[in-house]
Amino acid sequence: MRTNNTGAWTYFDSVAMLAVKSDAAPLDEDFEQVTSDLAAQPQLMAIVVRPRGSPPGARQRASMQELISKRSLRMAVLTDSKVLRGVCTALRWFGLPVESFCDANLEDALRFAGIRADRLSLARQCFEELLGHVEAEGSRERSRANLAR
């Protein structure tokens, strides 16, 4: 598992799994770190991401769009946010294979990403561990922020 100030990511088979820990938009340097790491994975076929609050900025969306287009990646976004679902729709207008899924539909997102049926249980476990790590980190950061007040 790899981490930075904005979130964490890991790989399962040929799928990248990302989780954001902050409600704020991702920091540019963190976003660049993630996209550089994704670009360096020759076997990568898809991305499953669980954002939290604000969607990525315009430059970040363009960077992700370029990566997805150049590598012909599929991207599943787990969110209940109508704003983020709208971003996914906009990316599809550009012909990108991006689909949004409700948070409760993780297995559908994993299937969209190309995880085989016999690997779904392990992939789900991997993603849930990633989410658990990110949630714990986010809770610690919120506690520190509250203590600093």
Side-chain angles (χ1 to χ4, degrees), residues 37-91:
D37 191 64
L38 295 176
Q41 307 301 317
Q43 79 287 357
L44 188 63
M45 300 296 290
I47 301 166
V48 177
V49 61
R50 170 55 167 73
R52 284 199 41 125
S54 299
R59 186 167 21 134
Q60 294 170 348
R61 286 192 306 273
S63 172
M64 187 58 71
Q65 179 181 345
E66 180 182 344
L67 176 65
I68 291 169
S69 295
K70 188 182 290 185
R71 298 283 303 277
S72 299
L73 302 176
R74 299 180 88 169
M75 183 147 108
V77 180
L78 286 163
T79 183
D80 291 329
S81 163
K82 291 181 186 201
V83 171
L84 291 174
R85 287 176 166 250
V87 169
C88 292
T89 298
L91 290 171

Side-chain angles (χ1 to χ4, degrees), residues 8-128:
W9 67 103
T10 192
Y11 297 94
F12 183 89
D13 293 345
S14 60
V15 176
M17 299 176 167
L18 293 82
V20 178
K21 64 182 170 184
S22 171
D23 288 334
L27 300 171
D28 284 341
E29 57 269 16
D30 290 344
F31 198 87
E32 286 178 29
Q33 180 187 13
V34 172
T35 54
S36 293
D37 191 64
L38 295 176
Q41 307 301 317
Q43 79 287 357
L44 188 63
M45 300 296 290
I47 301 166
V48 177
V49 61
R50 170 55 167 73
R52 284 199 41 125
S54 299
R59 186 167 21 134
Q60 294 170 348
R61 286 192 306 273
S63 172
M64 187 58 71
Q65 179 181 345
E66 180 182 344
L67 176 65
I68 291 169
S69 295
K70 188 182 290 185
R71 298 283 303 277
S72 299
L73 302 176
R74 299 180 88 169
M75 183 147 108
V77 180
L78 286 163
T79 183
D80 291 329
S81 163
K82 291 181 186 201
V83 171
L84 291 174
R85 287 176 166 250
V87 169
C88 292
T89 298
L91 290 171
R92 276 197 313 274
W93 290 341
F94 290 104
L96 298 176
V98 177
E99 190 67 51
S100 61
F101 297 85
C102 294
D103 288 335
N105 294 340
L106 174 58
E107 286 192 8
D108 291 339
L110 294 170
R111 277 188 207 92
F112 175 81
I115 299 293
R116 295 186 335 246
D118 64 325
R119 305 275 293 155
L120 273 176
S121 178
L122 288 172
R124 181 181 187 87
Q125 180 181 354
C126 182
F127 199 82
E128 287 173 347

